[in-house]
Amino acid sequence: MKKIFVIVLLALAAPASAQDTLFADMGGQAGIDRMVDASVDNYLADPRIRDIFADSNMDRIRAEFKVQFCQVAGGGCVYQGHDMAAAHKGLHLTNADFNAVIEDLQDAMDKTGIAFATQNRFLARLAPMQHQVVTR
Ligand code: HEM
């Protein structure tokens, strides 16, 4: 009985501690801020996708990314912007647009010193959002 109780406790504790580890492994909020700034710089310099951001307030978008990515990494932030479907609905994004964003994000994570295994853990949490963002 006691043994089962301990196993249940371990199972409950595991997801939370794995999340905390990701936020810390990404360098905490300072690491996420550096990654977001480098990735947005990449988007705006990338001829494949830069025009898509032309009408957006990039200061606001940077700030939204920083909170959302903190939340995704398990850092305890609460993202309060638009949900992903609403934010991207009018943009008619393709899988090619999505792949370009992921490539630019990977490049930003390389440049800001996030370890490869940590990058993959973070990208795995973004992957389920693809179907909310890509609409054609
Ligand atoms: C997993 C992938 C993505 C995530 C997590 C994400 C996240 C976000 C967030 C948090 C916002 C701000 C929402 C708000 O409060 O208004 C946003 C806006 C935006 N995203 Fe994404 N995004 C993703 C993919 C993409 C892709 C592939 C593109 C195009 C290449 C894109 C282009 C934009 C644009 C242009 C805006 C600003 C829209 C506006 O001005 O209101 N996003 N995104």
Side-chain angles (χ1 to χ4, degrees), residues 49 52-53 55-57 60-61 64-65 68-69 79-84 87-88 91 93-94 97-99 101-102 126-127 129-130 133-134:
I49 54 172
I52 299 172
F53 294 91
D55 296 331
S56 297
N57 176 341
R60 185 180 72 81
I61 302 299
E64 297 286 15
F65 278 144
Q68 189 200 34
F69 287 1
Y79 169 69
Q80 292 182 315
H82 297 100
D83 68 60
M84 288 299 92
H88 300 91
L91 298 173
L93 299 177
T94 64
D97 298 327
F98 186 86
N99 292 339
V101 157
I102 297 299
L126 291 187
M129 296 178 191
Q130 180 164 6
V133 165
V134 171

Side-chain angles (χ1 to χ4, degrees), residues 57-112:
N57 176 341
M58 294 315 292
D59 288 341
R60 185 180 72 81
I61 302 299
R62 276 179 207 261
E64 297 286 15
F65 278 144
K66 287 171 185 176
V67 178
Q68 189 200 34
F69 287 1
C70 160
Q71 176 174 295
V72 168
C77 305
V78 179
Y79 169 69
Q80 292 182 315
H82 297 100
D83 68 60
M84 288 299 92
H88 300 91
K89 193 173 61 172
L91 298 173
H92 311 295
L93 299 177
T94 64
N95 281 320
D97 298 327
F98 186 86
N99 292 339
V101 157
I102 297 299
E103 273 176 35
D104 289 349
L105 184 58
Q106 283 176 309
D107 178 75
M109 291 194 282
D110 278 340
K111 281 182 186 153
T112 58

